[in-house]
Amino acid sequence: MFGCCLLQQKNLRVLRTTNMLALLTESLYISNPDEAAILNKVAFIEDIAQGHVNGSVKCFSLKKKKVDENQYHTVIKGDTVPKLAKEYGSKPKAGTSLMMTMSLRVTRSCM
């Protein structure tokens, strides 16, 4: 079905119980000291992440969508769930919390 992907049949729970298209990858092993050292390098992690994006796009024949910036809110340090709920005319669910240490874009439909 996906010519670009190496398909393997294993008796793994994640494969048996997932009922959707999925891509399972293994980049390196932290149990290998040489590979664990490489995983400490931010540039390498970014390259791996970009490789996963490129592979997913190819494997699933994904097409880039036009993004309406008005559909997103950038969550920044200091934002709280009650503050965002008030801004968007919503009420937070009991027990919902938010602690931001970096910026995050979320769809407005999630709020």
Side-chain angles (χ1 to χ4, degrees):
M1 179 176 184
F2 302 105
C4 65
C5 301
L6 173 63
L7 299 177
Q8 291 187 357
Q9 296 292 326
K10 299 272 184 175
N11 191 22
L12 300 174
R13 178 177 166 80
V14 68
L15 298 177
R16 287 192 321 266
T17 61
T18 302
N19 192 19
M20 64 182 165
L21 288 176
L23 184 63
L24 178 63
T25 67
E26 293 178 327
S27 300
L28 295 174
Y29 298 94
I30 60 172
S31 58
N32 177 318
D34 294 332
E35 292 179 358
I38 295 170
L39 285 169
N40 281 322
K41 298 178 180 174
V42 172
F44 181 79
I45 293 171
E46 289 173 352
D47 287 345
I48 290 290
Q50 189 61 54
H52 284 138
V53 169
N54 295 346
S56 298
V57 166
K58 183 177 179 183
C59 191
F60 295 119
S61 301
L62 302 175
K63 304 290 182 222
K64 190 169 186 172
K65 293 181 180 180
K66 290 185 179 181
V67 176
D68 178 359
E69 291 297 325
N70 292 323
Q71 291 182 331
Y72 291 91
H73 172 89
T74 301
V75 180
I76 58 172
K77 187 174 183 176
D79 278 347
T80 63
V81 171
K83 178 182 166 187
L84 294 173
K86 183 176 180 182
E87 183 177 337
Y88 291 100
S90 182
K91 290 184 179 181
K93 292 180 182 176
T96 305
S97 63
L98 173 72
M99 183 179 79
M100 293 307 301
T101 57
M102 57 188 280
S103 294
L104 171 71
R105 278 178 28 134
V106 295
T107 62
R108 293 184 191 278
S109 63
C110 290
M111 302 192 316

